[in-house]
């Protein structure tokens, strides 16, 4: 399994648009990508402008398919316009499944 954890800051005036976009991407991912057992986003309880996205993929091929999907390719430029600064993305791999 491959786990991606992305952290980002979203300005308060962009929060509703960001959350709506993430709801859409999450719904489409879980509905159409059987190799994605977990995909969810959340807002920090300690800092309401901080968000976290956790994505789990069966393997690299599934991750590549996700990144090429219509909902992701269309959402990335929109997300970049809503996020303040850069994404902090970390990748983790289940031992033995590199």
């Amino acid at each position: 399994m491959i786990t991606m954890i992305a952290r980002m800051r979203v300005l308060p005036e962009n929060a509703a648009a960001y959350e709506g976009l993430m709801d859409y991407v999450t719904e489409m991912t879980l509905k159409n990508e059987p190799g994605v057992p977990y995909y969810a986003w959340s807002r920090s309880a300690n800092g309401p402008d901080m968000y976290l996205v956790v994505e789990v993929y069966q393997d690299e091929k599934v991750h590549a398919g996700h990144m090429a999907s219509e909902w992701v390719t269309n959402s990335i430029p929109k997300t970049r316009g809503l996020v303040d600064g850069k994404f902090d993305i970390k990748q983790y791999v289940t031992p033995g499944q590199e």
Side-chain angles (χ1 to χ4, degrees), residues 4-89:
M4 306 291 258
I5 299 176
R7 292 181 178 90
M8 63 222 63
R9 181 171 181 258
V10 177
L11 296 175
E13 61 268 23
N14 295 339
Y18 174 82
E19 291 175 9
L21 184 59
M22 289 309 302
D23 281 344
Y24 172 72
V25 171
T26 300
E27 177 185 356
M28 295 301 290
T29 298
L30 295 175
K31 181 179 176 181
N32 296 292
E33 299 182 50
V36 181
Y38 187 84
Y39 192 99
W41 65 271
S42 57
R43 187 178 67 196
S44 172
N46 299 322
D49 60 343
M50 296 303 297
Y51 287 80
L52 179 76
V53 180
V54 179
E55 311 167 25
V56 179
Y57 303 96
Q58 185 177 5
D59 54 33
E60 285 288 344
K61 183 178 178 182
V62 171
H63 179 250
H66 171 75
M67 295 306 293
S69 70
E70 178 185 347
W71 44 92
V72 172
T73 57
N74 289 336
S75 72
I76 288 174
K78 294 174 186 175
T79 302
R80 285 191 179 129
L82 299 170
V83 170
D84 183 32
K86 294 184 177 182
F87 298 92
D88 175 24
I89 302 173

